[in-house]
Amino acid sequence: MYLLEAGTRRVLVDSGAFQGAPDLEARNRDVPPMDLKSVSHLFLTHAHQDHCGRIPFLVKNGFSGAIVCTAPAAELAQLMLEDTAKIQQEEAERDARHQKDEGGPPPAEPLFSPADVAKTAQLFSKPVVYGETVDLGDLSVTYRDAGHILGAAFLEMKVSENGAAKRIIFSGDQGNLSKPAIPDPELPSATPADYLLIESTYGDRDHKPMSETIEEFKSVLTSTLPKGNVIIPAFALERAQELLYLMRGMYENHELPPCAVYLDSPLAIDATEVYMRHSEFFNEEAQKVVARSGNPFRFPAVEFIHDVEGSKKLNGIERGAVIIAGSGMCNGGRILHHLRHHLPHSQNAVLIIGYQGEGTLGRRLVNGDKIVHIRGQSVAVNAAVHTVNGFSAHADRSELLRWSSALKPRPHTFLVHGEEGPMTSLAAGLNANGFSTEMPNYQQTIEL
Ligand code: ZN
């Protein structure tokens, strides 16, 4: 989250939830040291939790300004926030029961409630499109396509104070190249900028090319499905849609082995519906598919599973099923019962296609643990575990350097949104390209 102050104007850019280690997540409860009532706008880049996950907490603490973003970002953010509020409430109720029965620690108060999410929903203003400038007089913000997930933007901001104007670019999250359905990132405009804030998630490494990644994916399906099932833990937003898009393409090209594909996640199904409502944000290839066959995420072999009963019924299938379910890191949700059922049998495969955080079940599978614990039960891992790494929605190091190189002259650059290693490595790359760089600390104030 960034607070920008100029004269009496106060605006925020993003307000994401910290994710990962407990001391980092504890920051989610820090009430920001500012008068939230005086903030007029929150400019949201996109709907990932680490960019929008704390907005209802701000609303609970007095923020009532306008939330500005693209239409798909608004709809996806509301879906994600409603889901988070529901999960937090369920966790608190479960902890309260434990405390009553076993005298455990008092339950943590949810960060925000479904009512706070409903209040947040009222604050979204008329959606913007790429290329559009929101002009507040002393401050203007132009939304550009970041090519990251549907509706994701980077922001070009012009701020005026005492007759002097400064231009600042917020990279948001930059997208990977050649992604299914989503366009490649747009380059920044030719107007010189004074400052750049650039994300650095993969600032120290390059991804495998998408074409190689797709070949790896195909080979796991081809080798497993004739004898067993393929279980794919997937994030509900973006990765699930990407997989469906790829498999639809394979199906049309007769490259998909005979199988039934199940999307077993109500949240992913809802997110897919948002994608379909906003096909104007797709890349050219996906728009052609829409014109030709309607829906690029549906094909005869795919079934969407809404209810828990339908999910449990999938346990009766012995071979030929691809089951996509959440959570993406296997730390909750329907994926757990699929793993418990499939891991003991060597004819099955688990396909890991996303980042698996330290301490999660997904990470233990990647690390090759032969026994794992699922809901208190120990489960033998005899299924093959394949990790396919190239599906990132984020730009890699080369792409971040290519994208920033469009900026002439070089703006002073703040590295943000990354761990220390990748950030330091990207800083070295930017410095070699003629940028002056700096790495701000949490809650640091900088005079521009
Ligand atoms: Zn993101």
Short mmCIF file of all heavy atoms in Angstrom, two decimals, residues 240-271:
data_model
loop_
_atom_site.label_atom_id
_atom_site.label_comp_id
_atom_site.label_asym_id
_atom_site.label_seq_id
_atom_site.Cartn_x
_atom_site.Cartn_y
_atom_site.Cartn_z
N ALA A 240 -6.45 -21.20 -12.70
CA ALA A 240 -7.51 -22.12 -13.11
C ALA A 240 -8.01 -21.78 -14.52
O ALA A 240 -8.18 -22.67 -15.36
CB ALA A 240 -8.67 -22.05 -12.11
N GLN A 241 -8.17 -20.50 -14.80
CA GLN A 241 -8.65 -20.09 -16.13
C GLN A 241 -7.59 -20.42 -17.19
O GLN A 241 -7.91 -20.85 -18.30
CB GLN A 241 -8.96 -18.58 -16.17
CG GLN A 241 -10.17 -18.16 -15.35
CD GLN A 241 -9.88 -18.16 -13.85
OE1 GLN A 241 -8.80 -17.80 -13.43
NE2 GLN A 241 -10.83 -18.56 -13.05
N GLU A 242 -6.32 -20.22 -16.82
CA GLU A 242 -5.22 -20.48 -17.74
C GLU A 242 -5.21 -21.97 -18.15
O GLU A 242 -5.06 -22.31 -19.32
CB GLU A 242 -3.93 -20.14 -17.00
CG GLU A 242 -2.77 -19.75 -17.84
CD GLU A 242 -1.66 -19.15 -16.98
OE1 GLU A 242 -1.07 -19.85 -16.14
OE2 GLU A 242 -1.39 -17.96 -17.15
N LEU A 243 -5.38 -22.86 -17.15
CA LEU A 243 -5.39 -24.30 -17.42
C LEU A 243 -6.55 -24.69 -18.33
O LEU A 243 -6.38 -25.46 -19.27
CB LEU A 243 -5.51 -25.08 -16.11
CG LEU A 243 -4.29 -25.12 -15.22
CD1 LEU A 243 -4.62 -25.86 -13.93
CD2 LEU A 243 -3.12 -25.82 -15.93
N LEU A 244 -7.74 -24.15 -18.03
CA LEU A 244 -8.91 -24.48 -18.85
C LEU A 244 -8.69 -24.01 -20.29
O LEU A 244 -9.01 -24.71 -21.24
CB LEU A 244 -10.17 -23.83 -18.28
CG LEU A 244 -10.66 -24.37 -16.94
CD1 LEU A 244 -11.90 -23.61 -16.49
CD2 LEU A 244 -10.99 -25.86 -17.03
N TYR A 245 -8.12 -22.81 -20.41
CA TYR A 245 -7.87 -22.25 -21.75
C TYR A 245 -6.92 -23.15 -22.54
O TYR A 245 -7.16 -23.48 -23.71
CB TYR A 245 -7.30 -20.83 -21.61
CG TYR A 245 -7.13 -20.13 -22.93
CD1 TYR A 245 -8.14 -19.33 -23.45
CD2 TYR A 245 -5.94 -20.26 -23.67
CE1 TYR A 245 -8.00 -18.69 -24.67
CE2 TYR A 245 -5.80 -19.62 -24.89
CZ TYR A 245 -6.82 -18.83 -25.39
OH TYR A 245 -6.67 -18.20 -26.59
N LEU A 246 -5.84 -23.58 -21.86
CA LEU A 246 -4.86 -24.46 -22.51
C LEU A 246 -5.47 -25.79 -22.92
O LEU A 246 -5.25 -26.27 -24.03
CB LEU A 246 -3.72 -24.77 -21.53
CG LEU A 246 -2.61 -23.77 -21.41
CD1 LEU A 246 -1.62 -24.27 -20.36
CD2 LEU A 246 -1.90 -23.63 -22.76
N MET A 247 -6.24 -26.38 -22.00
CA MET A 247 -6.80 -27.70 -22.29
C MET A 247 -7.87 -27.62 -23.38
O MET A 247 -8.01 -28.53 -24.17
CB MET A 247 -7.32 -28.35 -21.01
CG MET A 247 -6.16 -28.87 -20.17
SD MET A 247 -6.67 -29.91 -18.81
CE MET A 247 -7.03 -28.68 -17.63
N ARG A 248 -8.61 -26.50 -23.42
CA ARG A 248 -9.58 -26.31 -24.51
C ARG A 248 -8.85 -26.28 -25.86
O ARG A 248 -9.26 -26.93 -26.82
CB ARG A 248 -10.38 -25.02 -24.27
CG ARG A 248 -11.61 -24.82 -25.12
CD ARG A 248 -11.40 -23.92 -26.32
NE ARG A 248 -10.48 -22.84 -25.98
CZ ARG A 248 -9.53 -22.41 -26.78
NH1 ARG A 248 -9.35 -22.94 -27.96
NH2 ARG A 248 -8.71 -21.46 -26.39
N GLY A 249 -7.70 -25.57 -25.89
CA GLY A 249 -6.90 -25.52 -27.12
C GLY A 249 -6.39 -26.91 -27.50
O GLY A 249 -6.45 -27.31 -28.67
N MET A 250 -5.93 -27.66 -26.51
CA MET A 250 -5.43 -29.02 -26.77
C MET A 250 -6.56 -29.90 -27.28
O MET A 250 -6.38 -30.70 -28.20
CB MET A 250 -4.84 -29.62 -25.48
CG MET A 250 -3.53 -28.99 -25.05
SD MET A 250 -3.09 -29.41 -23.33
CE MET A 250 -2.84 -31.18 -23.45
N TYR A 251 -7.74 -29.74 -26.68
CA TYR A 251 -8.90 -30.54 -27.09
C TYR A 251 -9.23 -30.26 -28.56
O TYR A 251 -9.40 -31.18 -29.36
CB TYR A 251 -10.09 -30.19 -26.19
CG TYR A 251 -11.35 -30.95 -26.51
CD1 TYR A 251 -11.57 -32.21 -25.98
CD2 TYR A 251 -12.31 -30.40 -27.37
CE1 TYR A 251 -12.72 -32.92 -26.28
CE2 TYR A 251 -13.46 -31.11 -27.68
CZ TYR A 251 -13.67 -32.36 -27.14
OH TYR A 251 -14.81 -33.06 -27.44
N GLU A 252 -9.25 -28.98 -28.92
CA GLU A 252 -9.60 -28.61 -30.30
C GLU A 252 -8.56 -29.11 -31.30
O GLU A 252 -8.88 -29.43 -32.43
CB GLU A 252 -9.74 -27.09 -30.42
CG GLU A 252 -11.05 -26.62 -29.83
CD GLU A 252 -11.24 -25.11 -29.89
OE1 GLU A 252 -10.35 -24.40 -30.41
OE2 GLU A 252 -12.27 -24.65 -29.38
N ASN A 253 -7.29 -29.18 -30.86
CA ASN A 253 -6.22 -29.66 -31.75
C ASN A 253 -6.00 -31.17 -31.65
O ASN A 253 -4.98 -31.67 -32.12
CB ASN A 253 -4.90 -28.94 -31.42
CG ASN A 253 -5.00 -27.46 -31.68
OD1 ASN A 253 -5.75 -27.03 -32.54
ND2 ASN A 253 -4.26 -26.68 -30.91
N HIS A 254 -6.90 -31.86 -30.97
CA HIS A 254 -6.79 -33.32 -30.77
C HIS A 254 -5.50 -33.70 -30.06
O HIS A 254 -4.90 -34.73 -30.34
CB HIS A 254 -6.93 -34.07 -32.11
CG HIS A 254 -8.14 -33.66 -32.88
ND1 HIS A 254 -9.40 -34.03 -32.51
CD2 HIS A 254 -8.29 -32.85 -33.97
CE1 HIS A 254 -10.29 -33.49 -33.33
NE2 HIS A 254 -9.63 -32.76 -34.22
N GLU A 255 -5.02 -32.84 -29.16
CA GLU A 255 -3.80 -33.14 -28.39
C GLU A 255 -4.11 -33.54 -26.96
O GLU A 255 -3.21 -33.88 -26.21
CB GLU A 255 -2.89 -31.90 -28.36
CG GLU A 255 -2.31 -31.54 -29.71
CD GLU A 255 -1.64 -30.17 -29.70
OE1 GLU A 255 -1.84 -29.40 -28.75
OE2 GLU A 255 -0.93 -29.88 -30.67
N LEU A 256 -5.37 -33.42 -26.56
CA LEU A 256 -5.74 -33.78 -25.19
C LEU A 256 -6.06 -35.28 -25.15
O LEU A 256 -6.92 -35.74 -25.89
CB LEU A 256 -6.95 -32.96 -24.75
CG LEU A 256 -7.33 -33.03 -23.26
CD1 LEU A 256 -6.28 -32.33 -22.40
CD2 LEU A 256 -8.70 -32.39 -23.02
N PRO A 257 -5.35 -36.05 -24.30
CA PRO A 257 -5.67 -37.48 -24.23
C PRO A 257 -7.12 -37.65 -23.77
O PRO A 257 -7.66 -36.76 -23.12
CB PRO A 257 -4.71 -38.03 -23.17
CG PRO A 257 -3.85 -36.91 -22.75
CD PRO A 257 -4.34 -35.65 -23.35
N PRO A 258 -7.75 -38.79 -24.09
CA PRO A 258 -9.14 -38.98 -23.66
C PRO A 258 -9.23 -38.80 -22.14
O PRO A 258 -8.50 -39.45 -21.39
CB PRO A 258 -9.43 -40.44 -24.04
CG PRO A 258 -8.42 -40.79 -25.07
CD PRO A 258 -7.21 -39.95 -24.80
N CYS A 259 -10.06 -37.87 -21.69
CA CYS A 259 -10.16 -37.60 -20.25
C CYS A 259 -11.40 -36.77 -19.96
O CYS A 259 -12.07 -36.29 -20.87
CB CYS A 259 -8.93 -36.85 -19.75
SG CYS A 259 -8.77 -35.18 -20.37
N ALA A 260 -11.70 -36.65 -18.67
CA ALA A 260 -12.75 -35.73 -18.21
C ALA A 260 -12.05 -34.73 -17.30
O ALA A 260 -11.26 -35.12 -16.44
CB ALA A 260 -13.82 -36.50 -17.46
N VAL A 261 -12.32 -33.45 -17.53
CA VAL A 261 -11.67 -32.40 -16.74
C VAL A 261 -12.71 -31.81 -15.78
O VAL A 261 -13.80 -31.43 -16.21
CB VAL A 261 -11.12 -31.29 -17.66
CG1 VAL A 261 -10.50 -30.15 -16.85
CG2 VAL A 261 -10.12 -31.86 -18.66
N TYR A 262 -12.37 -31.74 -14.48
CA TYR A 262 -13.31 -31.19 -13.49
C TYR A 262 -12.72 -29.95 -12.84
O TYR A 262 -11.62 -30.01 -12.28
CB TYR A 262 -13.61 -32.25 -12.41
CG TYR A 262 -14.22 -33.50 -12.99
CD1 TYR A 262 -13.42 -34.63 -13.24
CD2 TYR A 262 -15.57 -33.57 -13.30
CE1 TYR A 262 -13.96 -35.78 -13.79
CE2 TYR A 262 -16.12 -34.71 -13.86
CZ TYR A 262 -15.31 -35.82 -14.10
OH TYR A 262 -15.86 -36.95 -14.65
N LEU A 263 -13.44 -28.85 -12.93
CA LEU A 263 -13.06 -27.67 -12.17
C LEU A 263 -13.88 -27.72 -10.88
O LEU A 263 -15.07 -27.45 -10.86
CB LEU A 263 -13.35 -26.38 -12.95
CG LEU A 263 -12.98 -25.08 -12.21
CD1 LEU A 263 -11.47 -25.01 -11.95
CD2 LEU A 263 -13.41 -23.84 -13.00
N ASP A 264 -13.19 -28.12 -9.79
CA ASP A 264 -13.89 -28.40 -8.53
C ASP A 264 -13.64 -27.27 -7.53
O ASP A 264 -12.99 -27.48 -6.51
CB ASP A 264 -13.42 -29.76 -7.99
CG ASP A 264 -14.19 -30.18 -6.76
OD1 ASP A 264 -15.29 -29.64 -6.54
OD2 ASP A 264 -13.70 -31.05 -6.01
N SER A 265 -14.11 -26.07 -7.85
CA SER A 265 -13.90 -24.92 -6.97
C SER A 265 -14.93 -23.85 -7.29
O SER A 265 -14.86 -23.23 -8.35
CB SER A 265 -12.48 -24.38 -7.20
OG SER A 265 -12.40 -23.03 -6.79
N PRO A 266 -15.89 -23.63 -6.37
CA PRO A 266 -16.91 -22.60 -6.65
C PRO A 266 -16.29 -21.23 -6.90
O PRO A 266 -16.76 -20.48 -7.76
CB PRO A 266 -17.77 -22.60 -5.37
CG PRO A 266 -17.54 -23.94 -4.75
CD PRO A 266 -16.14 -24.34 -5.11
N LEU A 267 -15.21 -20.90 -6.16
CA LEU A 267 -14.59 -19.58 -6.35
C LEU A 267 -13.97 -19.47 -7.74
O LEU A 267 -14.10 -18.45 -8.43
CB LEU A 267 -13.53 -19.35 -5.26
CG LEU A 267 -12.83 -17.99 -5.26
CD1 LEU A 267 -13.83 -16.86 -5.04
CD2 LEU A 267 -11.74 -17.93 -4.18
N ALA A 268 -13.30 -20.55 -8.20
CA ALA A 268 -12.70 -20.53 -9.53
C ALA A 268 -13.78 -20.47 -10.61
O ALA A 268 -13.60 -19.81 -11.65
CB ALA A 268 -11.83 -21.78 -9.73
N ILE A 269 -14.91 -21.13 -10.36
CA ILE A 269 -16.02 -21.09 -11.33
C ILE A 269 -16.54 -19.65 -11.43
O ILE A 269 -16.74 -19.12 -12.53
CB ILE A 269 -17.15 -22.07 -10.91
CG1 ILE A 269 -16.63 -23.52 -11.00
CG2 ILE A 269 -18.39 -21.88 -11.78
CD1 ILE A 269 -17.55 -24.56 -10.36
N ASP A 270 -16.71 -19.00 -10.27
CA ASP A 270 -17.18 -17.60 -10.28
C ASP A 270 -16.18 -16.69 -10.98
O ASP A 270 -16.56 -15.81 -11.75
CB ASP A 270 -17.39 -17.10 -8.84
CG ASP A 270 -18.61 -17.73 -8.18
OD1 ASP A 270 -19.42 -18.34 -8.90
OD2 ASP A 270 -18.74 -17.63 -6.95
N ALA A 271 -14.88 -16.91 -10.72
CA ALA A 271 -13.84 -16.07 -11.36
C ALA A 271 -13.86 -16.28 -12.87
O ALA A 271 -13.71 -15.33 -13.65
CB ALA A 271 -12.47 -16.39 -10.78
#
